[in-house]
Structures are given as C-alpha cells and as structure tokens.
C-alpha cells in the first residue's frame, strides 16, 4: 500500500492490476489474447476521451465507478459483430491499470 493514498484508490488499483493479470494469463491462447488486447485498447481510448491526458488517481478511480457500462458500450460500438469479452470488467480493469501510469500522482 502506498502511504497517503485513500483506501478506495488502493483497492481500485488492486482490481486494475488483477484485471491486467487476467488478460496476461491468456497469452497461451494467441487469438483470445489478441482480441482482449484489442479490447483493452478500445477501452483505453475511451478513457482518454472521458478523462483526458491530465488526471489524478482519485479522478481515475471516480471514473471507474461506472466503467463496466460505458466500457461495454464502447466495445459494442467499436466491434458490433465481435463477441463480448468474457468479462467486460477484466478488460476495463486492464485498461485502467495501463492508464493509471499516466496519472499525475502515480507511483508504482
């Protein structure tokens, strides 16, 4: 736990990291991994659109509260014929994990 961050942000960061790990575990299935990786990219682009390039972890955690709904919509728009990810939350968590690194107050 990083000293000084609220518990809610730390919990969100743990969920994001878990989602990233779940995506990485699919590397043994190249087709699934490629599809999930592409979906993470779609959600990351939507994150960029929604929060911009300058943000804090608290702002990112606030946006995370409704992420499953808007992530599903973004994925449906990007690939209407593609099957939905097994868990939209996994894809969203992985995207948030990657995007968190750009937060102005990010620390590993």
């Amino acid at each position: 736990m990083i000293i000084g961050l609220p518990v809610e942000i730390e919990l969100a960061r743990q969920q994001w990291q878990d989602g990233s790990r779940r995506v990485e575990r699919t590397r043994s299935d190249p087709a699934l991994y490629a599809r999930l990786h592409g979906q993470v990219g779609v959600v990351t682009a939507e994150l960029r659109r929604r929060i911009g390039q300058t943000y804090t972890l608290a702002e990112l955690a606030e946006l995370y509260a409704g992420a499953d709904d808007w992530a599903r919509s973004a994925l449906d728009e990007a690939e209407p014929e593609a099957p939905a990810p097994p868990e939209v939350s996994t894809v969203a968590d992985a995207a948030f994990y990657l995007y968190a690194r750009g937060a102005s107050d990010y620390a590993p």
Side-chain angles (χ1 to χ4, degrees):
M1 184 156 132
I2 297 173
I3 304 299
L5 284 181
V7 171
E8 297 81 18
I9 294 173
E10 276 303 312
L11 290 174
R13 288 183 70 180
Q14 288 174 8
Q15 290 173 329
W16 303 341
Q17 186 174 37
D18 289 345
S20 180
R21 286 181 184 143
R22 287 190 303 272
V23 169
E24 288 302 313
R25 278 190 226 126
T26 68
R27 279 188 183 266
S28 61
D29 181 343
L32 176 59
Y33 179 75
R35 183 168 53 92
L36 291 176
H37 195 264
Q39 290 171 339
V40 168
V42 168
V43 175
T44 300
E46 183 64 15
L47 268 169
R48 188 175 301 110
R49 187 185 76 70
R50 287 176 176 261
I51 202 165
Q53 302 261 342
T54 304
Y55 53 93
T56 64
L57 289 171
E59 292 169 322
L60 198 59
E62 186 176 323
L63 182 61
Y64 181 63
D68 283 354
D69 292 333
W70 59 256
R72 184 179 310 281
S73 294
L75 291 168
D76 287 344
E77 275 184 37
E79 301 175 312
E81 301 301 318
E87 292 181 37
V88 172
S89 61
T90 294
V91 171
D93 287 349
F96 272 84
Y97 177 73
L98 294 173
Y99 212 68
R101 294 176 183 187
S104 60
D105 56 348
Y106 174 81

